[in-house]
């Protein structure tokens, strides 16, 4: 198992704490054009090329545990049906009947042996094959074999279900790269889903996401909440090819966080003693520790609105006699985001309000905010720079030399 390298990270944490300037050789980051957060045409490019071609976290096996169980998933701009097939696989089907386009399934979730369209009754299998057509005698030459539901790439990582709309996309594991190896110790195949909630946020999806991609704001915005579990001066950001990133920051005082809960025994030292969180391109933030795995996702609606979706996963809590699973993100059973999340959401909405007033000086990012720059840099690569107006582009200044497994800070730390 390629574990998270604790020795190397301790060295890097000391380096980060002791440095008095940006590390030697780290590139200068040009300001980001604020139009990227408000421009309609750019939002369309994002939808087509980024959300249309990336692996997106779409569901959890607990939501569709048995063959025939289905769940609708419309968050990424297409009506999708996730369905557990007879052979134990999950298929992701377009919820659009091949006849005249009615939704094949209108319920949010359920269990069916056959999917029967509510408009004229065409029936499909869980694999999307067209099985039966009502009044078939009225059609001439209907080739049922060619009229199945459109299906999308769908893969699992443990209990997590990912979908990719691009039929040419590389496998999920290849796209996650080192991340899936580092996550092995968190046993995602054993983590149960405790909660999944959605909140409308009046901000561009990237503004809301970026609040989870740097710890620069933690001592100010979160002084009364997460600041106590993140030593931001010692934070180590790591960049991974594919636009992913990781933060590791020691906890100043040992966390009592969820400590009455069952632990994931295989979690190593970093997961136990540090705040560890990954950003997975494009829209997933994945914090991990030995008690709870609480991902957050950011789904664009319009250029100035998004959905923040929060998840809480944990090892089985009923084995501790607890009836109710953990909830990392909401208050009163999903009625509203909890305080930590509200602190970020309120700030994101306030930023969005004034975004149209931003000027051509752009948004200056620091070394601490490199994961944000790297996200934008990779977005442009995925969209294709030739499609983006020059003034909106983010120059690819972060090279492979600053992308894992390369780690120039190790040489600087031992100098
Ligand atoms: S639209 Fe589905 S059967 Fe007609
Ligand atoms: Fe925050």
């Amino acid at each position: 198992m390629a574990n998270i390298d604790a020795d190397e990270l301790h060295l890097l944490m000391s380096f980060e704490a002791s440095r008095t300037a940006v590390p030697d050789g780290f590139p200068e980051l040009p300001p980001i054009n604020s139009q990227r957060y408000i421009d309609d045409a750019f939002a369309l490019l994002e939808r087509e090329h980024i959300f249309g071609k990336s692996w997106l976290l779409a569901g959890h096996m607990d939501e569709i545990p048995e063959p025939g169980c289905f769940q609708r998933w419309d968050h990424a701009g297409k009506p999708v049906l996730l369905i557990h097939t007879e052979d134990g696989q999950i298929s992701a089907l377009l919820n659009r009947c091949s006849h005249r386009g009615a939704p094949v399934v209108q319920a949010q979730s359920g269990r069916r042996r056959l999917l029967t369209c509510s408009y004229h009754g065409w029936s499909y299998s869980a694999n999307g094959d067209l099985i039966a057509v009502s009044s078939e005698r009225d059609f001439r030459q209907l080739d049922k074999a060619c009229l199945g539901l459109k299906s999308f790439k769908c893969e699992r990582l443990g209990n997590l279900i990912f979908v990719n709309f691009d039929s040419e996309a590389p496998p999920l594991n290849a796209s996650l790269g080192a991340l899936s190896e580092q996550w092995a110790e968190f046993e995602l195949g054993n983590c149960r889903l405790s909660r999944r909630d959605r909140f409308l946020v009046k901000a561009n999806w990237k503004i809301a996401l970026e609040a989870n991609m740097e710890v620069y704001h933690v001592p100010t915005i979160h002084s009364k909440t997460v600041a106590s579990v993140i030593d931001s001066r010692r934070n180590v950001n790591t960049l991974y090819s594919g636009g992913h990133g990781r933060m590791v920051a020691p906890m100043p005082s040992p966390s009592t966080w969820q400590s009455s809960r069952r632990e994931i025994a295989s979690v190593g030292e970093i997961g136990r003693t540090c705040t560890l969180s990954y950003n997975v391109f494009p829209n997933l933030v994945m914090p991990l520790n030995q008690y709870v795995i609480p991902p957050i996702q950011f789904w664009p609606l319009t250029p100035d609105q998004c959905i923040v979706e929060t998840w809480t996963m944990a090892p089985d809590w009923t084995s501790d006699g607890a009836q109710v699973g953990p909830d990392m993100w909401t208050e009163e059973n999903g009625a509203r985001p909890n305080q930590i999340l509200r602190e970020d959401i309120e700030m994101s909405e306030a930023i969005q309000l004034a975004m149209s007033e931003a000027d051509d000086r752009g948004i200056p990012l620091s070394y601490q905010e490199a994961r944000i720059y790297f996200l934008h840099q990779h977005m442009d690569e995925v969209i294709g720079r030739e499609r983006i107006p020059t003034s909106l582009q983010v120059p690819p200044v972060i090279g492979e030399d600053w992308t894992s497994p390369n780690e120039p800070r190790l040489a600087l730390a031992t100098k």
Side-chain angles (χ1 to χ4, degrees), residues 228-229 251 253-261 291:
S228 64
V229 290
M251 295 184 195
S253 48
S255 165
T256 53
W257 203 33
Q258 304 279 343
S259 56
S260 61
R261 297 269 175 197
Y291 302 119

Side-chain angles (χ1 to χ4, degrees), residues 11 28 37 62 67 116 147 169 171 223 281 293 326 353 368 373 386 408:
L11 206 60
E28 197 174 321
Y37 300 88
D62 284 359
T116 302
L147 285 169
S223 59
F281 189 84
I293 297 173
L353 262 184
Q368 258 310 325
Y373 190 93
E386 68 286 356

Side-chain angles (χ1 to χ4, degrees), residues 109-141:
S109 60
R111 187 172 184 184
R112 309 258 163 90
R113 202 178 59 79
L114 277 182
L115 305 167
T116 302
C117 178
S118 46
Y119 205 1
H120 312 95
W122 286 24
S123 302
Y124 302 87
S125 73
N127 293 312
D129 299 331
L130 177 59
I131 304 294
V133 168
S134 38
S135 303
E136 195 173 347
R137 62 179 186 162
D138 292 335
F139 287 93
R140 273 187 222 275
Q141 295 170 333

Side-chain angles (χ1 to χ4, degrees), residues 210-214 217-218 221-222 226 340-341 343-345:
E210 287 161 9
N212 296 274
M213 293 177 67
E214 45 90 354
H217 74 287
V218 167
I221 298 297
H222 302 303
V226 268
I340 297 170
L341 205 51
E343 288 166 351
D344 283 329
I345 288 174

Side-chain angles (χ1 to χ4, degrees), residues 21 33 37 44 50 61 63 113 147 166-167 172 183 186 195 203 207 213 232 245 266 289 353 358 367 369 373 390 398:
N33 190 320
Y37 300 88
L44 287 176
I50 294 178
M61 289 303 285
E63 295 169 307
R113 202 178 59 79
L147 285 169
D166 179 9
S167 58
L172 174 63
W183 293 355
F186 296 92
R195 289 198 69 90
I207 291 183
M213 293 177 67
S232 53
S266 49
N289 64 68
L353 262 184
Y367 164 71
E369 296 159 303
Y373 190 93
T390 315
I398 301 181

Side-chain angles (χ1 to χ4, degrees), residues 32-39 42-43 46 50-51 203-213 282-283 298-300 302-303 305-306 348 352 355 372 375-376 379:
I32 303 272
N33 190 320
S34 55
Q35 288 295 319
R36 293 172 69 92
Y37 300 88
I38 47 182
D39 186 71
F42 190 73
E46 289 177 345
I50 294 178
F51 287 85
N204 184 278
W205 68 279
K206 301 187 295 300
I207 291 183
L209 165 65
E210 287 161 9
N212 296 274
M213 293 177 67
N283 72 332
F298 303 85
W299 301 103
T302 60
Q305 287 197 340
C306 69
S348 297
Q352 187 70 42
M355 199 47 111
I372 298 176
L375 164 82
H376 284 263
M379 283 173 61

